[in-house]
Amino acid sequence: MPERARRTAAAGVLACGLLLAACSGADRSTDDRVGGAAESTGDRRPAAQRIEQLKVKVLEALPHDREAFTEGLEIVAGTLYESTGLAGRSSMRAGPPGRRPGVRTALPAPLFGEGISVVGRSLWQLTWRNGIAIERDARTLAELRRVPYPDEGWGACLQRDRHRLVTSDGSARLAFRDPGTLASRGEVTVTEEGRPVTGLNELECVGTAVYANVLPTDRILRIDPATGAVTASIDASGLLHDDEIVEGSVLNGIAAVPGTDQFLVTGKFWPRMFRVAFVPA
């Protein structure tokens, strides 16, 4: 090969070599950046599967009847509805939050009051193991009728967009019911990272989500009722002082404050109720 041709060929080989090296280096740097980004995120689950870790931020403390064995709590049109339990001591109450209820009615023994939900002009009050649910006038709390309720009654709330009640029975199950008859419309198992969560108690429906107290803990869960998946775990510990805690005084009672992102929370035999916001832990 003539000298000029050899020099031309060598230059071509060198150029190709440099081009290949540059391409290869670019590929490696791209891979390194992708790998680094993936490693830096830590949690590689899809965003929809991640569980938010939240805590309560106290905005206001309100008085609460420390004799009340709270089982259900809900605010509608500025009225706080509260159901209390224990046979012979169960009641249904209604009035302004933080003040003495203006309307109150007792449940005769052996009825044990449980979760509640306002549906239009009526209010449903579940009972624990008495096999009935009571429909009441939401204004006067007068009993309108009793219907059979074969499950244990724990929590209840109304999903307005789906026009159905959501109820709990202390297991990992949420049941869906007709708001007029309480007839079954299906159910879902609540899971946290794939594992069933038992002890679901008092419920609150907010938009498409369901919030649930977990007995006997200081945790509140936010649940997607379409799948049963827990989407947030809320730490509500430390609300009471040590000298305010008595036997049986567990967290139970959550009511969304309409028109805000705030909630009222309380518990069985709690002397106080708290207006709170859920914020990152």
Side-chain angles (χ1 to χ4, degrees), residues 9 43-44 62 87 106 135 148 151 161 178 181 193 225 229 233 247 273:
D43 187 349
R44 300 181 68 176
L62 302 168
E135 184 181 17
D151 298 329
D161 61 327
D178 184 282
T181 65
E193 296 183 331
S233 177
E247 184 178 358
M273 176 185 298

Side-chain angles (χ1 to χ4, degrees), residues 169-198:
D169 61 4
S171 68
R173 180 181 72 126
L174 291 180
F176 307 123
R177 302 180 185 277
D178 184 282
T181 65
L182 302 190
S184 175
R185 282 189 178 177
E187 61 183 61
V188 69
T189 298
V190 174
T191 59
E192 186 174 19
E193 296 183 331
R195 295 183 294 274
V197 182
T198 60

Side-chain angles (χ1 to χ4, degrees), residues 147-261:
V147 300
Y149 193 84
D151 298 329
E152 285 192 11
W154 286 53
C157 66
L158 177 66
Q159 263 196 306
R160 299 184 187 280
D161 61 327
R162 299 293 301 272
H163 194 58
R164 66 184 183 183
L165 281 175
V166 184
T167 63
S168 62
D169 61 4
S171 68
R173 180 181 72 126
L174 291 180
F176 307 123
R177 302 180 185 277
D178 184 282
T181 65
L182 302 190
S184 175
R185 282 189 178 177
E187 61 183 61
V188 69
T189 298
V190 174
T191 59
E192 186 174 19
E193 296 183 331
R195 295 183 294 274
V197 182
T198 60
L200 301 179
N201 201 356
E202 218 269 307
L203 305 178
E204 180 74 352
C205 293
V206 182
T208 59
V210 174
Y211 290 79
N213 288 124
V214 182
L215 190 74
T217 73
D218 289 324
R219 266 207 320 158
I220 297 169
L221 300 181
R222 188 183 69 208
I223 302 161
D224 178 357
T227 63
V230 172
T231 61
S233 177
I234 303 154
D235 180 3
S237 61
L239 290 174
L240 293 185
H241 300 143
D242 289 344
D243 61 359
E244 294 176 316
I245 300 173
V246 300
E247 184 178 358
S249 59
V250 296
L251 178 75
N252 197 47
I254 176 171
V257 180
T260 74
D261 59 356

Side-chain angles (χ1 to χ4, degrees), residues 2-261:
E3 181 61 26
R4 183 175 180 182
R6 280 200 303 272
R7 286 200 299 270
T8 302
V13 169
L14 178 60
C16 288
L18 291 173
L19 180 60
L20 288 172
C23 292
S24 176
D27 289 344
R28 282 198 302 274
S29 63
T30 301
D31 290 344
D32 290 343
R33 286 196 301 271
V34 172
E39 290 172 4
S40 67
T41 60
D43 187 349
R44 300 181 68 176
R45 291 172 296 174
Q49 295 179 12
R50 295 179 195 142
I51 299 174
E52 282 191 271
Q53 301 300 315
L54 306 174
K55 64 180 181 179
V56 295
K57 177 182 179 181
V58 176
L59 305 175
E60 183 182 14
L62 302 168
H64 181 251
D65 181 3
R66 70 178 312 141
E67 299 298 320
F69 197 74
T70 303
E71 298 288 5
L73 205 66
E74 185 172 345
I75 303 174
V76 176
T79 297
L80 178 67
Y81 294 89
E82 182 172 8
S83 171
T84 72
L86 299 178
R89 296 174 57 183
S90 295
S91 69
M92 186 64 234
R93 313 163 181 205
R99 295 165 61 181
R100 187 179 298 275
V103 186
R104 177 172 176 164
T105 187
L107 277 71
L111 297 183
F112 190 120
E114 281 283 352
I116 56 172
S117 187
V118 175
V119 182
R121 297 182 179 180
S122 298
L123 176 151
W124 284 110
Q125 183 178 27
L126 306 183
T127 60
W128 183 30
R129 293 176 172 172
N130 303 112
I132 62 167
I134 302 170
E135 184 181 17
R136 298 183 179 279
D137 182 288
R139 184 176 61 85
T140 66
L141 304 185
E143 184 174 322
L144 301 176
R145 62 172 172 152
R146 299 183 181 187
V147 300
Y149 193 84
D151 298 329
E152 285 192 11
W154 286 53
C157 66
L158 177 66
Q159 263 196 306
R160 299 184 187 280
D161 61 327
R162 299 293 301 272
H163 194 58
R164 66 184 183 183
L165 281 175
V166 184
T167 63
S168 62
D169 61 4
S171 68
R173 180 181 72 126
L174 291 180
F176 307 123
R177 302 180 185 277
D178 184 282
T181 65
L182 302 190
S184 175
R185 282 189 178 177
E187 61 183 61
V188 69
T189 298
V190 174
T191 59
E192 186 174 19
E193 296 183 331
R195 295 183 294 274
V197 182
T198 60
L200 301 179
N201 201 356
E202 218 269 307
L203 305 178
E204 180 74 352
C205 293
V206 182
T208 59
V210 174
Y211 290 79
N213 288 124
V214 182
L215 190 74
T217 73
D218 289 324
R219 266 207 320 158
I220 297 169
L221 300 181
R222 188 183 69 208
I223 302 161
D224 178 357
T227 63
V230 172
T231 61
S233 177
I234 303 154
D235 180 3
S237 61
L239 290 174
L240 293 185
H241 300 143
D242 289 344
D243 61 359
E244 294 176 316
I245 300 173
V246 300
E247 184 178 358
S249 59
V250 296
L251 178 75
N252 197 47
I254 176 171
V257 180
T260 74
D261 59 356

